[in-house]
Amino acid sequence: MSTLATSLHLFPNNPFVRTKSVLPTFSTTITSASSSSYPINSNVSLSSIAPLEAILFDIDGTLCDSDPLHYYAFRDMLQEIGFNDGSPIDEEFFINNISGKHNEELCSVLLPDWEFEKAMKFMVDKEALFRRLAAEQLEPISGLNNVCKWVEDLGLKRAAVTNAPRSNAELLISMLKLEDFFEVIVLAEECARPKPFPDPYLKALNALKVSPNHTFVFEDSVSGIKAANGAGMPAVGMATRNPEQMLLDAGASLVIQDYNDPKLWENLQEMVQQKLPISSKIGTTLAWTKHERLTGRNGARKRLRTWMHEVSDFRNHFVVQVSNKVL
């Protein structure tokens, strides 16, 4: 495994400590829908979903930069069985043919001449290698803690929705210390169909009891974005490893580099401030103040003063209206 060891230079020696906390309940109610039930690649805009009720997150490549580890595992194991005449696959092949796909689909993509049981055993072994690598080195996407804190401050519902097997999902969420953050975790392997079909996201919406009209998704893959759009929700594409244009072509409403991207926070601020009563805007402004203090952005005090002036204007207007009625 020397090639794997040398490939891990992208990840500093800063392994996360695994916790023993109880993971959130995995949703078990299967919700199925035909692929024509919702428009694929719908490009729903973020501004159209206010007021915001929930945010759904993919796991691999969205919460953490795990795609390199999947790439290293596939590259070495495929080379061992003589795939591509023994030449290692490159990152472009991984992005175009592997990233975001479910293991059952990958059996037919990578090993079409193998019996299904044998091909699935290969995938199981690959996932075990991935977990060994992830247990040593795993990096969260930059700014993840900030966006999670913001979601909690606003009291938004949240779920993780993944094509990954249960053992992978449990490991990554535990290492990222997000066991208490997610209310629901949906596994595609427990749905009628995996992403790019909308079933996993429909299942999450059903479990959280929220509307797709007031929910959006963070996704890093083409299949995930299509699944989100297919369930009637806009997707924010994470250009962690996949090209920005590829994610836009798949239907992403917005593409960001990480959770500190100014484009993300500008859109979130605009979306959350829409269609809220003044009392709610005060609470939202306080949440924004916390975010800006964490990320070092300026203008929080100015924004807070602006809202306080609006509250004062509203109060004065209300007093005048009441006085006129009394007189």
Side-chain angles (χ1 to χ4, degrees):
M1 291 295 177
S2 58
T3 54
L4 286 173
T6 56
S7 297
L8 287 173
H9 68 280
L10 294 175
F11 298 83
N13 288 321
N14 185 26
F16 288 84
V17 178
R18 291 194 65 180
T19 65
K20 295 183 180 180
S21 303
V22 178
L23 286 167
T25 302
F26 282 71
S27 178
T28 56
T29 302
I30 295 178
T31 304
S32 62
S34 65
S35 58
S36 61
S37 297
Y38 294 88
I40 298 296
N41 202 19
S42 61
N43 267 319
V44 182
S45 67
L46 287 182
S47 60
S48 67
I49 65 172
L52 185 61
E53 294 179 353
I55 301 179
L56 310 182
F57 294 78
D58 174 48
I59 296 180
D60 276 299
T62 300
L63 296 178
C64 52
D65 191 12
S66 54
D67 268 8
L69 302 181
H70 284 289
Y71 166 63
Y72 303 146
F74 269 115
R75 182 194 64 188
D76 281 46
M77 288 189 62
L78 287 172
Q79 188 174 12
E80 286 179 5
I81 64 172
F83 184 86
N84 194 31
D85 295 326
S87 298
I89 63 171
D90 57 20
E91 293 183 14
E92 183 178 1
F93 179 89
F94 176 82
I95 290 172
N96 292 330
N97 298 280
I98 297 177
S99 180
K101 291 185 172 65
H102 193 261
N103 278 342
E104 291 186 6
E105 181 183 5
L106 288 173
C107 287
S108 60
V109 171
L110 300 175
L111 307 168
D113 298 328
W114 287 26
E115 292 183 0
F116 180 75
E117 290 76 12
K118 181 181 178 182
M120 279 303 296
K121 176 62 167 59
F122 176 90
M123 296 300 168
V124 169
D125 292 342
K126 173 265 161 185
E127 298 297 357
L129 175 56
F130 164 78
R131 288 192 295 275
R132 291 198 295 273
L133 295 173
E136 298 173 0
Q137 299 279 351
L138 188 72
E139 289 290 336
I141 300 299
S142 181
L144 175 64
N145 290 338
N146 292 339
V147 81
C148 289
K149 182 65 166 60
W150 181 83
V151 168
E152 288 178 327
D153 286 344
L154 291 181
L156 301 176
K157 294 185 177 182
R158 55 268 190 186
V161 183
T162 180
N163 267 1
R166 175 186 291 273
S167 51
N168 287 20
E170 289 179 345
L171 175 65
L172 298 185
I173 288 175
S174 174
M175 293 184 68
L176 294 171
K177 301 181 180 179
L178 295 176
E179 302 98 323
D180 297 327
F181 175 73
F182 289 113
E183 300 169 56
V184 172
I185 300 176
V186 175
L187 302 173
E189 65 185 18
E190 296 180 355
C191 297
R193 300 172 303 181
K195 306 173 191 177
F197 294 101
D199 302 43
Y201 280 118
L202 292 173
K203 185 174 179 179
L205 291 170
N206 180 63
L208 292 176
K209 297 183 178 0
V210 294
S211 167
N213 298 326
H214 302 293
T215 305
F216 78 90
V217 175
F218 282 113
E219 267 285 359
D220 75 306
S221 69
V222 169
S223 64
I225 290 170
K226 288 184 175 181
N229 287 174
M233 294 176 288
V236 174
M238 303 290 298
T240 317
R241 298 290 168 180
N242 291 327
E244 178 176 351
Q245 192 57 51
M246 177 185 290
L247 301 180
L248 289 171
D249 291 343
S253 300
L254 172 71
V255 175
I256 59 176
Q257 296 302 313
D258 55 42
Y259 293 108
N260 287 328
D261 196 316
K263 289 187 297 183
L264 170 64
W265 292 101
E266 289 167 5
N267 277 267
L268 290 180
Q269 182 178 21
E270 179 182 356
M271 176 173 48
V272 171
Q273 298 290 5
Q274 289 184 46
K275 300 180 182 178
L276 292 176
I278 286 183
S279 59
S280 298
K281 289 180 178 179
I282 297 172
T284 302
T285 301
L286 294 177
W288 272 100
T289 303
K290 291 180 181 179
H291 159 68
E292 291 174 335
R293 185 167 65 248
L294 288 170
T295 58
R297 294 180 64 187
N298 297 320
R301 291 183 179 177
K302 182 178 179 181
R303 184 173 294 108
L304 185 57
R305 286 198 301 270
T306 300
W307 283 118
M308 293 308 294
H309 282 309
E310 288 194 14
V311 172
S312 178
D313 291 342
F314 173 80
R315 182 187 58 194
N316 293 336
H317 174 74
F318 178 78
V319 170
V320 170
Q321 292 294 321
V322 172
S323 298
N324 290 337
K325 287 185 178 181
V326 172
L327 293 174

